[in-house]
């Protein structure tokens, strides 16, 4: 039997059934979850949860969905989850920028999504399901071998990059021999072969 709780001043709703909790609306803080340490399932879809998401220790939680929130940083979230939800077997992050898929961003493709899966499985080794797909034996093996290297690194913004480039001393390194550096006295390979004849 589901018990529903609705906050009168906002669009937030919570429903509790046995060891499951569904929170929908505009939650941005999960402070009240401390009292639900017995939870096994937690559905936090369609909220305003971001990179500052902090869950209390939930040792029995095996299912967590955070779909359609505002999570952009994957590694810190995964480190936090590994620490506070050790029994986690099902995780879904669809609809967040941290989960690169074609539905959220047109520039992402299946390869981006697969690298994301390897990285998540490297960090959360007990997962059986990630997003909508079962974890395969092959994925688990690949995550073990290469998962640590599948982290998506975001490029710095253009302003930060140009500021860093102007602050660093100009590099004068060139792989060309010193005689080839003078652009006014350039002779290509064909010129040097024909001039010797």
């Amino acid at each position: 039997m589901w018990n529903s709780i609705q906050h009168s001043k906002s669009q937030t709703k919570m429903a509790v059934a046995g060891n499951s909790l569904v929170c929908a609306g505009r939650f941005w803080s999960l402070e009240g979850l401390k009292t639900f340490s017995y939870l096994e399932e937690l559905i936090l879809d369609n909220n305003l949860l971001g990179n500052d998401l902090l869950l209390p220790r939930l040792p029995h939680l095996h299912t967590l969905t955070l779909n359609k929130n505002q999570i952009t940083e994957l590694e810190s979230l995964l480190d936090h989850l590994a620490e506070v939800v050790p029994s986690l077997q099902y995780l879904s992050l669809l609809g967040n920028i941290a989960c690169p898929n074609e539905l959220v961003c047109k520039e992402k493709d299946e390869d981006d999504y697969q690298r994301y899966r390897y990285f998540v499985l490297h960090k959360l080794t007990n997962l059986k399901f990630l997003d909508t797909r079962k974890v395969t034996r092959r994925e688990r093996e690949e995550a073990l071998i290469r998962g640590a290297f599948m982290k998506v690194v975001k490029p710095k913004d253009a302003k930060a990059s140009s500021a860093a480039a102007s602050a660093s001393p100009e590099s004068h390194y060139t792989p060309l021999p010193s005689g080839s550096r003078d652009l006014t006295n350039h002779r290509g390979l064909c010129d040097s072969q024909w001039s010797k004849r």
Side-chain angles (χ1 to χ4, degrees), residues 41-54:
E41 297 178 16
L42 180 57
I43 300 170
L44 296 168
D45 298 342
N46 299 309
N47 284 289
L48 299 173
L49 301 171
N51 295 329
D52 56 350
L53 169 74
L54 291 176

Side-chain angles (χ1 to χ4, degrees), residues 63-78:
T63 300
L64 175 63
T65 67
L66 291 162
N67 299 314
K68 293 187 178 180
N69 278 284
Q70 298 175 351
I71 300 167
T72 60
E73 297 296 324
L74 185 61
E75 187 170 23
S76 58
L77 172 68
L78 298 176

